[in-house]
Structure formats: C-alpha cells, structure tokens
Amino acid sequence: GFDAEEDLIGSLVRMPTSERIKAIQKMPETMEKKRDIRNRVLREITKSRHRGTQLSCCTHCLKRTAVSLQRFGNTFSECFHLLWIWHKALKVIRAEFGTSVLSYFMFLKWLLNFNLFSFLINFSFITIPQFLAAEPNNLSFTGLELFTGAGYFQQTVLYYGFYTNATINKTENGPSYNMQLAYIFTVGIYFVICFLILLFSMATSFSRNFIQPQAHSGKASKLLCSWDFNITNDKAVRLKQKNLSRQIKEDLTEVNREVLNFSVTQRVARVAVHLLAWFASLGTAVAACAGVYFFSINNLKLFAKGYENDLESQAAMLVLPLVISLLNTFTPFFYSWLGHMEKFQTPGQQIYVTIARNIILKISIVGILCYYWLNIVAPSESQCWETLVGQDIYRLVLVDFIFCLLGSFFGEFLRRVIGTTVCVSLGKPEFDIGRNVLDLIYAQTLTWIGILFSPLLPGIQMIAFAIVFCVKKVSLMMNCQPPRKVWRTAQMTTSFMFLLFCPSFLGVLCVIGVTVWRLKPSEECGPFRGLPSMYAAVSEWIQILEDYTVSKWVVWIYHNLITSELFFFILSGIVLIITYLYWKIIQGRKTMAKLLRKQIIN
C-alpha cells in the first residue's frame, strides 16, 4: 500500500547513487512507474538538502553539478547505444534464427570494434604526425585509384612509402617526434595489445561456454524465471517469446540428441566417403595454391614492365585479387556440397568440418602470397617494394569485400528466387555459417599483414565490416530460413576466436617478424630507408641512450630482457604453467558441476 511505497522511497533516498539506479532498474515495474519512482526520490533528495543547514553552498553546487552530469551521461549513453547498427538487429536475429547464426554476427561485431581500435591507434601515433611533414601530392586523381590503390594514393599517408624518416619538429626549439621509432613502436605495441586481447577474449569465452556454470540449474528455471516483466510493447513481447522459445528448443535438442548405431558396412562406407571428401578438398586447395603462385609471378612481371604511375598497368594487377577472390568464393560452395554428401549426424559437425577445410584453403593461399611478397617482391629491384605490397593487400581487401557483397546477392538472393519459384522443393537457403566466418577471418588476416605496409588499412576494413553487417543482416532476413535442425552453439564463438588466434594471428606475427628483423627496407622510400633492417632503428636509438645516465634503465631492459633468449624461455614456461593450472581449474569446476547436477536430479 501507500506505507510500503513510502518506505521504498525512503530506502532509495538513503542509498548511494549507483546502487539506487541499479535498484530502480531491477524493479518489476513498467518504465512509466520507474520514472515516477525516480522523480519522487529526486524530489525527496532535493527537499532534504534544503532542510539541511550543515551543508555549504559550494557542496550543494557540486552535488547538483554531479547529478546533472550523471543525467547527461545516462542520456548520452542511451542515445549512443541506440545509434549502433547492431543494437536491435542482434535481438531479432537470435529470436528468428537462433544462436548459431547469431554467433556469426557477434563475431563480425567484435571484429568491427577491433578494427576501430586499430585505426585509432595508427591514425593517432603515425598518420597525424606525418601530416605535419607531408609534401604536396603532384599526382592527379582519376577515380581508378579507388579500385587499384595506385596512382594518386601512392603519395598519400595510405602507404608506407610516403612516410618520412626524419625527426619531425613543428618549431625550431620545440619537442621532436622520431617517425622511425613511432612507426615501429606503434605497430609493435599494437600487436602486443592484440595478443593480450585475443587471449583474454578466448579465455573469457572458453570459461563462459565450456565450463557451463549454468549446467546445474536445469531447464525449468529458463521457462519459469526468465521472463522480463518490464516489457509492455506488443512487438517486443513477441520478439521475447520467439527468443525464449528458440532457446528452449536448442536446450531440448541438446538433451534429446540421438546416438545413431551403424552396422560395420555402414561405418566403412561412411569412413570411405569422409576420406574421399577430404582427398577432394585437399586436392582443390593444392590446385588453388598453384594457380595463385602462377598469377603472383605474372603480377610482378606486369609491374616490372609497366610504369609505376600508369593506371592502366596498375589496373591489370586486379587479375591476381580477382583470381584469389573467385577461388575463395566458389571453392567453399564445393566444400559445402561435400559436407551435405557426407551426411553428418549433427549440423555442428558439418559446420566444423567445413570450417576446417576452408581454413586450410584460405591460410594456404595467404601463405603463398606471403612467400611471394617476402621472397620474390622484397629482393626484387622495385623502387619501393613495401608500397607495392601495400597496394596488393589493398586490392585484395577491396575485391574480397566486393565479392562478399556479390555473394549475398548471387548466393542467397538468387538461390531464394530459384527455391521459391523455379524449384519449390528446394525452399529458401540456410545461412552458411562456416563459409561466412572464414571470409571474416581471411579479411582480418589480410588487414593484420597490411598494417605495416598500409597503416590506415584497419579504417578501410572497419567501413567494409560495417557495410557487410548491414547487407548480411538484410539478406538473412529476406532470403534465408532458420536452420532446419535446431541446435545449441554455445562453443562456436570460442572456436571462432581460436581460429582467429591460431593460425591467423600467430601466422601474421611470423610474417611481421621476418619483415622487421630480416628484410632490408627500400633505399628511397619509407621511414626506414637506408637501414639494414627496420629493427636497426631501435638498436641505433639504444646506442644513443647509452650516453645518458637517466636512460640507463631503458638500456638495461633492452639488453637483459628484450634481447635475452633466457627471459623469453622463462616467460614461455610461466605461461605454460599458468595455462596448465587454468585447465586443471576448469576440469575441477566441470566435475563439480556434474556432481551437483546429479545430486539435484537424485
């Protein structure tokens, strides 16, 4: 009654601000009722302040300013949250298509945020200082550069070759900015941060999805206790019903999974089909790599014969990215067909096998390209081989993005038209999770390799991922049907993170390491021109610091830690021990969860 409500208001008034906000948010009331309670609480707080004589005017002003800023921050946070393209889309996708399709869009959202972070770091510490020392661009812009990445773009901050090797001074006696050190330290620290973020993301996802702390709670709690009584809008209610219904179906499918028993003849036949499918997929990957190597050599010959600023010659280099994108687009369809022919027991098995075959194909192609860039392009007599590599990666990223959009049209839209008009028995297609996820990992791998040669490439990839998110979401809603077999995919996001880390990220670290420590930079372009290697800039800087007493600790860290094999050996051992202990803790928690679940059942 009224007294209970007054007691509630009084208790809220006495709470700290953060606890009060959380308490009001968790109330099982409508938004209108919550706003009324919040306003009454604020009025009571204001009255108590007016009644109190012990508080000074300055304290009143500070508290009022803090309340106003908090209200502004909450309003800004709500508006900012609504602006993100995935705010409502992810809820709709989960309700209509389940967690399997949702895992793809969650992974795409994570990569988009990741590239935003990469772009901000490179733009802040590499590109902005270069603007202060940039020379005017004398090349004309024709528009073809948007597709080739050559011509006008060669003399811009997009590529490595444009950056200066000088120390930038805005004023004569002002502070200086060493571009060589800024370039290598920004890239190096960025990769260290990426390494830590990927490890943390994998550990968090693994802990959440594999340990399964909710496994002992039973399915009844999801049915009886998960409804949000704050929802009053009819459309939101229907969306919540669909979401909850699909979650319960996924859980029941996992519990009631049937184990099929095959005869000896059937098992032999299934193994033979699997082996034949793997032989066909590996043979296709080998043939694709051979074709990529042939066109890569031809690509270098085109560059050697033509002029560097001849846009027609540069346009001819689109042949290599077109061939690679065609292989990456059509070969996965062949792998998906092989997966259907193998008739796996669960959709999860088919998706994981398809992903494994696609990762072998794409990583092999990237490996051939890296061999071509590091062992053929770098030793060649090209005037600025780093810019040439950056242009190649730019074209690969752009053409791959275009093919991704075309794949949504030809692979999903036309398939839906055929399945609903020409051959009705086919029906609408299902969203191919394996193929689409590997497209994202391939694109992100190219971006990581290209950061050293094109610092602004993460910004381009960020825009591409945002467009892909919108296009894939629209195509999914219009052209695809929910999975015929409902299944739970809690571990799929963890698998995506692992594939992004190994072999993608670890492979990129190897490529960057060889480039920085082994390869000789170009003599006439880039911040490391004239040096025997990019890493030599750090060695020369350490030699200068040895003359300053204040910087002795930096020199000590460099000689005793950074260049010490023993330090990295001990560090690797510590990491392995921590990993082993973490694994044992996980096993213990899983055992405890199983025992607790058995006790509840009994």
Side-chain angles (χ1 to χ4, degrees), residues 155-166:
Q155 300 299 322
T156 64
V157 292
L158 182 61
Y159 294 120
Y160 162 95
F162 182 72
Y163 288 84
T164 181
N165 64 336

Side-chain angles (χ1 to χ4, degrees), residues 328-491:
N328 285 329
T329 300
F330 290 103
T331 308
F333 286 109
F334 173 65
Y335 290 165
S336 298
W337 177 78
L338 288 177
H340 288 296
M341 295 294 294
E342 291 176 277
K343 296 180 180 179
F344 291 96
Q345 294 186 33
T346 63
Q349 292 178 354
Q350 180 178 336
I351 287 179
Y352 285 126
V353 170
T354 304
I355 287 177
R357 290 168 180 166
N358 278 282
I359 199 71
I360 291 173
L361 170 70
K362 293 179 183 292
I363 293 300
S364 299
I365 290 176
V366 173
I368 293 296
L369 289 174
C370 291
Y371 175 83
Y372 159 68
W373 289 326
L374 302 184
N375 292 278
I376 298 177
V377 176
S380 65
E381 297 180 356
S382 303
Q383 185 176 359
C384 189
W385 65 266
E386 295 93 345
T387 297
L388 175 60
V389 173
Q391 291 174 2
D392 276 343
I393 297 176
Y394 173 89
R395 287 189 285 265
L396 287 169
V397 169
L398 180 66
V399 175
D400 178 73
F401 165 68
I402 295 173
F403 270 74
C404 183
L405 300 183
L406 293 177
S408 296
F409 177 78
F410 290 103
E412 295 168 359
F413 173 72
L414 292 183
R415 170 67 173 77
R416 191 257 298 179
V417 172
I418 295 173
T420 54
T421 57
V422 180
C423 186
V424 183
S425 60
L426 291 176
K428 290 184 177 181
E430 294 185 15
F431 189 78
D432 194 335
I433 301 171
R435 177 174 58 85
N436 285 283
V437 166
L438 266 298
D439 288 342
L440 297 181
I441 294 178
Y442 169 76
Q444 186 59 42
T445 304
L446 291 178
T447 304
W448 275 331
I449 297 174
I451 281 178
L452 188 63
F453 309 104
S454 179
L456 297 185
L457 197 60
I460 299 173
Q461 193 64 272
M462 176 185 65
I463 298 172
F465 280 158
I467 297 174
V468 167
F469 187 98
C470 297
V471 172
K472 289 293 183 182
K473 186 254 181 181
V474 173
S475 177
L476 176 72
M477 294 299 177
M478 293 180 58
N479 304 320
C480 298
Q481 64 173 341
R484 294 184 179 91
K485 295 182 179 179
V486 181
W487 56 295
R488 189 170 177 268
T489 55
Q491 296 86 10

